[in-house]
Amino acid sequence: MSTHAPGRPSYAAVLRLPHARRTFASALTARLSYGTVSLAVMLSVIRSTGSYAVSGAVLALFGATVFLMPLRAALIDRYGARRALLPMAVLYGALLCVLAALTWRPGAPPAAIGAAAALAGACAPPLGPTMRAVWAGLAPDPGTLARAYSLDGVAEELLYVSGPALVGVLLGFAPPASGILLSALLIIGGTCVFVTSPALPGPRPGRPEKGRGMLGGLPAPVAVATGAGLALSGVELLVLAFVTEHAYDRALVPWVLGALSAGSAVGGLVNGAVQWRAPARVRLCGFAVALGLVIAVAGLAPGLWTLAGAIGIAGAFIAPTLTTAYLVADETAPEGARTQAGAWVNTGVNAGSSVGAMVTGLLIGRVPLGVCFLLAGAAAVLPAVAAYRRRRVRVVAG
């Protein structure tokens, strides 16, 4: 249940917070690197080795180090973003340059390419969690923080839409490896400006307060975020399978997936514009259940445009689910571990996406497509229901 509050801060008011515009703009510039790098690496490796299998393996190595993100975030919390973030960004950018050099022309050894990709992925700076920790320090109240997180989530969604388009433009006059160099330039340049912002918190040495362990309340938002990642990665493959099974032109797939992104952007903006009465933990479960149910029902679509509509509706719950997961993680985390808390949620989403794509790929063709949609939806619903039931048990016990 919700109500529009007259005094609710606007998105413009969020950007008028001290140092917010400069800090947010530089963070987005650096984070755009993550929107450009995957496509650039994939195309560069294919051009260099002539092998789709090698390209897939390199991307897997590049992304597998997502499990190190909480560790990198812990360094941010311990030593401060100014001291820890810039060395990560510079090393990551340098390794991307090595990867670009290796793939600039055909003939590079796949082992060398894979090693450079794995090392680069291991150094990728946790810019998203760091920016969300900055928002938590800037926002004067929970309402402003919720709106700031919504703005951040929508902007991040747009980066992952505009990043591949930017690489596409670059390919018109340069080899694919130039996209990797662009990614390095964005991450280093954006981070250099970002770390000079007065809004960045300093080092926060020491352990969390007794009774407020780092993982105390994190399982719920991490589990729900992981389930959302599982469901969403499955949807991308399922849309392609639907188009193939119904003999539509595969060129329509990006338009259907575009509805997912558009729905997420709209849902994120609406979520931030509404003052919710329900606690964040209850909203988190509700958004995730709605996301899963719509995905499950989408498998019953009789045609492509009906599917696109259902996918667009599902998208409207993506940004609210993830934004609220970050809010719950921030509420749960000790003061000195906010970056780590956000990183755990981010890791859950990425890990779920990796596993979901693999599992969905194995299921397609072996079970009916409608059942695949149902299972993808269940991946989002079940963790949310379990988290809600666990919360109710705690409330009753308390």
Side-chain angles (χ1 to χ4, degrees):
M1 192 172 182
S2 62
T3 180
H4 293 273
R8 182 78 166 174
S10 66
Y11 286 111
V14 170
L15 292 175
R16 285 196 296 268
L17 292 170
H19 313 295
R21 281 174 292 187
R22 168 190 168 184
T23 309
F24 190 38
S26 58
L28 289 180
T29 301
R31 289 158 75 181
L32 179 58
S33 172
Y34 296 136
T36 59
V37 71
S38 294
L39 179 61
V41 168
M42 180 184 72
L43 295 176
S44 300
V45 175
I46 290 173
R47 181 176 184 267
S48 177
T49 65
S51 171
Y52 286 91
V54 172
S55 179
V58 169
L59 283 174
L61 288 170
F62 184 72
T65 53
V66 66
F67 296 102
L68 295 176
M69 183 175 285
L71 176 60
R72 297 192 293 263
L75 294 175
I76 304 294
D77 281 328
R78 183 176 180 88
Y79 297 106
R82 291 186 184 88
R83 292 175 61 187
L85 195 61
L86 188 56
M88 290 185 206
V90 171
L91 184 55
Y92 173 71
L95 289 166
L96 286 183
C97 291
V98 172
L99 185 58
L102 286 170
T103 58
W104 196 269
R105 292 184 177 85
I113 295 174
L119 288 172
C123 300
L127 288 159
T130 303
M131 184 64 225
R132 281 183 283 271
V134 171
W135 283 127
L138 287 177
D141 57 76
T144 304
L145 180 59
R147 181 158 290 206
Y149 275 12
S150 293
L151 178 64
D152 192 281
V154 170
E156 188 169 57
E157 186 78 35
L158 295 176
L159 293 182
Y160 282 95
V161 173
S162 58
L166 187 57
V167 172
V169 171
L170 194 61
L171 291 178
F173 55 88
S178 62
I180 304 179
L181 290 180
L182 173 65
S183 302
L185 178 65
L186 288 169
I187 199 87
I188 295 175
T191 304
C192 283
V193 178
F194 180 62
V195 297
T196 64
S197 169
L200 264 65
R204 290 173 293 216
R207 298 179 180 274
E209 296 173 17
K210 189 176 181 180
R212 296 195 66 195
M214 182 59 232
L215 295 178
L218 277 181
V222 172
V224 174
T226 302
L230 281 165
L232 294 172
S233 63
V235 165
E236 296 181 359
L237 287 174
L238 291 174
V239 168
L240 177 59
F242 185 97
V243 166
T244 303
E245 185 175 286
H246 291 77
Y248 289 106
D249 186 351
R250 288 192 176 187
L252 295 172
V253 171
W255 293 98
V256 179
L257 296 178
L260 190 73
S261 296
S264 179
V266 171
L269 291 173
V270 171
N271 176 55
V274 172
Q275 185 174 8
W276 299 96
R277 292 177 179 171
R281 296 187 183 207
V282 174
R283 301 200 310 270
L284 172 63
C285 299
F287 289 141
V289 167
L291 171 65
L293 291 178
V294 176
I295 290 173
V297 172
L300 303 175
L304 184 63
W305 300 117
T306 308
L307 177 68
I311 292 299
I313 295 171
F317 296 103
I318 296 173
T321 299
L322 298 182
T323 297
T324 309
Y326 287 120
L327 279 173
V328 174
D330 184 76
E331 290 176 357
T332 303
E335 180 62 29
R338 280 174 160 171
T339 311
Q340 294 174 68
W344 276 109
V345 174
N346 208 46
T347 298
V349 176
N350 291 327
S353 296
S354 299
V355 175
M358 179 179 66
V359 172
T360 304
L362 292 173
L363 290 176
I364 291 175
R366 291 178 171 83
V367 298
L369 200 55
V371 175
C372 291
F373 273 97
L374 182 63
L375 292 174
V381 170
L382 294 179
V385 171
Y388 182 74
R389 292 187 64 181
R390 182 181 179 188
R391 177 186 179 276
R392 290 205 59 175
V393 168
R394 284 187 172 183
V395 169
V396 172

